[in-house]
Amino acid sequence: MGMKSLFLSVLSGLLLTLGFPKPELFYLSWVALVPLLLALEGKSGKEAFLLGYVCGMAHYASTLYWIQYVVQHFGGIPLPVAVLLVALLSGYLALYPACFAVAAHRWQGHPLLEIFGLPGVWVALEWVRGALLTGFPWANLGYTQTPWSLLIQAADVTGVFGLSWLVVLGSTTVLSCLKGRCVRWSLPVFVLCLSGTLVYGGWRLDTVKALEKTADSWTVAVIQGNIDQARKWDPAFQQETLRRYRELSMAAAARSPRPDLIVWPETAAPFFYGVEDDLTEQLNGMVRELGVPLLFGSPAITLLDGEPRFQNRAYLVDARANILGWYAKQHLVPFGEYVPLQKLLFFVHRLVQAAGDFVPGHDSQPLRWEDRGLGVLICYEGIFPSLARRTVLAGAAYLVNITNDAWYGRTSAPYQHLEIERWRAIELRAPMIRAANTGISTVIDAAGESCGRIELDLQGEMVCTARSPGLLTIYARWGDFFVWFCMAASMGCMVYSTLKRRSAKST
């Protein structure tokens, strides 16, 4: 295995990364896997695994570099250890492109499997990555296509995985052209799939827009306090935090039309709401002064086996500060809100001193205000389609994401996070109301379009009109059926190639 093959593998990894924000060069994603597939020509199975692993390391290390900033800046971890943690995570995630490369190697010489089977393998591996070991579906390939509005409307059928499949098909089609099989097999099918997806997207976009025009309008305000993470939990800064949110909320409440709901970010209330009486009453008095219902984030204390434990909650209160309901975060951040496998990873507490002792909630029921169901997703819960789908099936017509992306600084992570969550609005045709502490805050309609946004590291307020088209999408009803089809097809292709290989050996 020469340097040229290694170079091609690294090139594929970097091309995969360039499709994500930033710089969001989404068109490169359509050919990103071509160098890797070319590098596999004439290699052994072990070499194929290694080349796929190198590709994965290059991709995930360059996409998730911001983790080093988080653990070093806020965890107080030395730079070499922070880099090592990124390398360890990237090393695990690189196993998935490595498995993809092994499948590609096994199917060399089988044009139909190589062209049309590999996209299914990629999708199956993406799904496993998003489910195994608590799941980390951060950099699914379909997310690179966010700027192509017509194309991504198909997500309400297949979820993001359908677009991942199509983008990989782009690479296998280019590969087939380079091998001289372009017109006969792959190109017509690829053109048909791409054009069909675009036609569906145009039709679906018109349908959603028409339904939104006839739907009841609802005015919502999002508040971005831009509280420095280093001062967020400083008791001396609590009054400044509440003052800032009060002023921004008063400015939003004075807008015309007047908002029906104001949304603050995750843990915007820097105290235990309902436990710390003075601060709780101060916030309640603020709500009464506003005269507008408020949804806000706050830490909470719950009892588990008689022991007090922390929860990350969102509270909904009416204009008189009466609690209408609360939601406890279900999918906690590993090493941020809890330490998995504590007996095995006992040493991690020394590395990540900010790791809390939080316990998850278990209820996906939406919060209800008047006749509207609000499906709350706290922090990175928005990257898990299953959580959003669960609350929509329970009756949520709107999704509300409250988050604190201050941890990420001015890296590409806040932009990646926002664009991932945009897909939940499209998949489920439920407007996404997003309030982020340091940004980016916005309201995204059921077609995936923003009414505006408060940019990163700014404080501000924004009032938008939200309308739910009232659609229950195929994806909402059937979930990841497309993934199961890809898994079944991949297994069938693997069995077929194995039988063909044994047959060839026997003859």
Side-chain angles (χ1 to χ4, degrees), residues 211-212 215-220 260-261 263 295 364-377 387-388 391-401 424-425 428-434 443-446 464-471:
L211 289 171
E212 284 180 330
D216 293 336
S217 63
W218 187 43
T219 305
V220 62
D260 299 304
L261 176 71
V263 180
L295 191 155
S364 294
Q365 289 295 316
L367 302 181
R368 296 199 173 273
W369 178 70
E370 295 183 345
D371 61 341
R372 297 181 176 92
L374 308 176
V376 179
L377 303 167
L387 289 177
T391 191
V392 166
L393 290 176
Y398 299 85
L399 297 173
V400 182
N401 175 236
R424 305 293 86 84
L428 303 165
R429 299 303 177 187
M432 170 73 78
I433 301 160
R434 188 176 200 261
V443 177
I444 302 169
D445 68 16
C464 289
T465 298
R467 294 182 174 88
S468 174
L471 284 172

Side-chain angles (χ1 to χ4, degrees), residues 25 45 118 122 127 138 144 152 157 169 174 204 212 223-224 275 306 324 400 498:
L25 304 177
L118 286 179
W122 185 274
W127 187 91
W138 187 273
T144 61
I152 65 177
V157 177
L169 182 63
V174 171
R204 197 57 163 167
E212 284 180 330
I223 308 299
Q224 184 167 303
V275 176
L324 300 178
V400 182
T498 301

Side-chain angles (χ1 to χ4, degrees), residues 234-288:
D234 184 352
F237 199 68
Q238 286 175 325
Q239 291 300 318
E240 167 60 23
T241 298
L242 290 175
R243 181 199 65 79
R244 189 177 299 184
Y245 276 107
R246 177 188 176 277
E247 290 185 356
L248 292 170
S249 299
M250 291 295 290
R255 293 281 196 99
S256 181
R258 183 177 173 84
D260 299 304
L261 176 71
I262 295 176
V263 180
W264 291 1
E266 176 189 15
T267 58
F271 59 91
F272 291 94
Y273 181 77
V275 176
E276 300 180 62
D277 294 337
D278 291 343
L279 291 169
T280 297
E281 183 51 40
Q282 186 175 342
L283 191 152
N284 287 343
M286 189 187 308
V287 174
R288 298 185 192 104

Side-chain angles (χ1 to χ4, degrees), residues 41 107 158 187 209 211 264 305 308 330 355 357 387 396:
E41 290 291 322
W107 294 348
T158 65
L187 187 59
K209 292 296 185 182
L211 289 171
W264 291 1
D305 298 327
Q330 299 179 73
D357 189 22
L387 289 177

Side-chain angles (χ1 to χ4, degrees), residues 266 312 329 331-339 354-359 378-380:
E266 176 189 15
N312 190 343
K329 185 178 181 182
H331 200 117
L332 302 179
V333 179
F335 307 108
E337 292 170 315
Y338 79 105
V339 177
D357 189 22
F358 284 72
V359 294
I378 298 179
C379 188
Y380 91 145

Side-chain angles (χ1 to χ4, degrees), residues 135-152:
F136 191 66
W138 187 273
N140 288 350
L141 190 53
Y143 290 135
T144 61
Q145 301 308 299
T146 303
W148 200 343
S149 179
L150 278 184
L151 189 75
I152 65 177

